Amino acid sequence: MPKELKRKVLSEEKKGSILALLAEGYSERRVASILKISKTAVHKNKVKQHTLGTTKLQTGRGRKRLSTDRDDRQLIRMSLSNRRMTSSDLQKEWQTAAGVKCTARTVRNRLLGAGLKSCKARKKPFINEKQRRARLRFAKDHKDWTVEDWSKVIFSEFNFQLCPTPGSLMVRRRPGEAYKPQCLTPTVKCGGGSVMISGCFSKAGIGQICLYKGRMNQTKYKVVLEENLLPFALTMFPNSEDWFLQQGNAPCHTARSVKVWMEDHQFKTQSWPAQSPDLNPIENLKRKMDGHKPSNKAELLEFLRQEWHKVTQHQCERLVESMPRCMQAVIKNQGYSTKY
């Protein structure tokens, strides 16, 4: 099919020039040549002036709108009640509920007019109600912490998995709604082969990276504490004991033998809420490595070693400086996931 040409709308000034030249006795062909427009445009404006007394666009012309304002509000409510419904599904449901016969394109136009655009859903961990309250409580407890306070924290540990990530899911949302729970794709921990990484960093820089195959247990964790985290803490805070370790609530962290070891070595810790990678800035370092898709564990291990040593102190400083903003974002989102 030939490409449909867009119709050019003449300005009121040019329409006035058409009428003025015609009134002076110029032919339609001569007027078209002078104004560099088509002879058809000149003729149509001449006829319009003669029949209607004006060349202005007439209101109320064109095809009658298929839906009322009330119908449109019903369509918007239907879309907001299920953000994942496609325009075709909405079109069928809208026709059943309101009797509006239209195409899926019309549905998309109505929703776009209401600011509801189809976007890829952000992938964030699934957060249940108990976890949401814990995250909100943690953020409120730390909302007054300054960058100097966060500089005393050693952030640690993350892991990579070889399982495939879920495919893209589309949702309809307005600007600023990307992290609403109904606009997210919840993720869960899965199998498929994983590599546990004992990495740590503070505002002063990164520590050594230790790679462990399989699951972390209390015996392995004590080795990590003694050979990796403790030397890093003594290096970064040589003249001060005013620092503490961030760690999760995994069984290897809360085991009795681990607690005894920490008491013997005067290790101060702070527990982080579950399902909260956005509250641990070390996950941002992991995110920078997520573009690589290894085919096996050996390739993944080698890649991680190389990428870890590319992290600069400036990156560490920026991540720690983002923590006060992160706490505010969690409070604003009532404990649900944030962009961090």
Side-chain angles (χ1 to χ4, degrees):
M1 290 181 65
K3 187 176 180 180
E4 185 177 342
L5 298 177
K6 290 187 177 180
R7 182 175 149 187
K8 185 176 180 181
V9 179
L10 298 178
S11 66
E12 294 301 324
E13 181 181 358
K14 185 153 285 190
K15 291 177 183 178
S17 299
I18 292 172
L19 298 178
L21 291 172
L22 290 172
E24 291 179 12
Y26 288 93
S27 67
E28 292 181 3
R29 189 180 299 277
R30 180 62 180 156
V31 172
S33 177
I34 294 173
L35 298 179
K36 293 182 174 53
I37 57 177
S38 68
K39 180 178 175 294
T40 302
V42 175
H43 179 72
K44 284 187 175 181
N45 278 276
K46 176 183 175 181
V47 173
K48 195 172 184 180
Q49 178 67 28
H50 179 72
T51 56
L52 300 177
T54 180
T55 58
K56 293 184 177 180
L57 293 174
Q58 301 297 297
T59 58
R61 312 288 288 182
R63 183 179 178 182
K64 186 177 179 182
R65 191 178 173 90
L66 292 174
S67 60
T68 64
D69 290 343
R70 183 176 182 180
D71 294 332
D72 293 346
R73 289 194 296 271
Q74 184 178 15
L75 174 64
I76 293 169
R77 288 195 299 271
M78 288 162 54
S79 179
L80 291 176
S81 66
N82 185 353
R83 304 272 187 153
R84 302 178 184 181
M85 286 186 70
T86 64
S87 53
S88 297
D89 292 338
L90 283 168
Q91 179 262 328
K92 294 174 185 176
E93 190 166 324
W94 198 24
Q95 181 174 343
T96 302
V100 178
K101 295 182 179 180
C102 66
T103 63
R105 176 72 263 179
T106 300
V107 170
R108 290 194 291 273
N109 289 339
R110 296 290 191 273
L111 295 175
L112 286 172
L116 289 167
K117 185 179 179 181
S118 180
C119 307
K120 285 185 179 179
R122 305 288 174 88
K123 296 173 184 177
K124 289 290 182 178
F126 173 74
I127 297 174
N128 60 34
E129 182 60 22
K130 181 180 178 180
Q131 292 163 346
R132 183 193 71 83
R133 290 197 302 267
R135 284 168 51 84
L136 184 59
R137 184 166 56 251
F138 179 88
K140 288 181 177 180
D141 291 342
H142 295 82
K143 65 182 177 65
D144 296 324
W145 274 35
T146 64
V147 174
E148 183 179 355
D149 294 324
W150 289 109
S151 300
K152 302 172 184 177
V153 181
I154 297 176
F155 299 95
S156 67
E157 205 170 292
F158 52 93
N159 72 323
F160 277 80
Q161 292 182 330
L162 298 178
C163 62
T165 56
S168 298
L169 179 70
M170 305 301 289
V171 296
R172 294 190 185 277
R173 65 173 188 244
R174 298 187 178 98
E177 294 184 338
Y179 293 96
K180 281 195 169 185
Q182 58 268 40
C183 298
L184 297 174
T185 298
T187 61
V188 295
K189 297 177 181 178
C190 62
S194 64
V195 175
M196 178 62 70
I197 301 184
S198 174
C200 61
F201 87 97
S202 69
K203 188 181 179 183
I206 62 170
Q208 293 298 315
I209 185 173
C210 297
L211 308 176
Y212 293 91
K213 296 181 181 180
R215 298 177 65 87
M216 179 68 76
N217 55 35
Q218 55 183 303
T219 303
K220 290 181 181 179
Y221 189 55
K222 282 189 291 184
V223 173
V224 170
L225 291 172
E226 187 163 0
E227 297 182 358
N228 189 10
L229 293 175
L230 182 58
F232 174 76
L234 296 177
T235 302
M236 294 300 170
F237 304 94
N239 301 316
S240 173
E241 295 183 358
D242 190 17
W243 58 269
F244 56 89
L245 174 69
Q246 170 271 330
Q247 65 176 10
N249 294 304
C252 63
H253 298 157
T254 57
R256 181 174 298 180
S257 63
V258 173
K259 291 181 177 179
V260 170
W261 188 96
M262 289 185 173
E263 290 176 2
D264 293 341
H265 293 79
Q266 298 181 341
F267 242 75
K268 293 181 291 183
T269 63
Q270 174 126 12
S271 295
W272 250 238
Q275 292 292 78
S276 300
D278 53 344
L279 299 185
N280 186 354
I282 203 170
E283 293 290 333
N284 285 273
L285 299 180
K286 171 187 171 183
R287 205 174 300 153
K288 295 180 184 297
M289 307 175 193
D290 277 344
H292 185 73
K293 299 187 183 301
S295 57
N296 53 59
K297 287 185 179 181
E299 184 181 334
L300 176 60
L301 290 172
E302 183 59 29
F303 170 75
L304 294 176
R305 285 194 185 97
Q306 295 176 5
E307 291 299 310
W308 179 256
H309 292 291
K310 293 180 183 179
V311 177
T312 64
Q313 183 176 344
H314 178 64
Q315 288 177 301
C316 295
E317 290 173 353
R318 291 192 61 183
L319 289 173
V320 173
E321 289 168 359
S322 71
M323 289 303 294
R325 299 192 298 273
C326 180
M327 296 301 110
Q328 294 298 327
V330 174
I331 294 172
K332 182 178 179 181
N333 214 24
Q334 292 297 306
Y336 288 109
S337 296
T338 67
K339 66 178 183 179
Y340 292 93

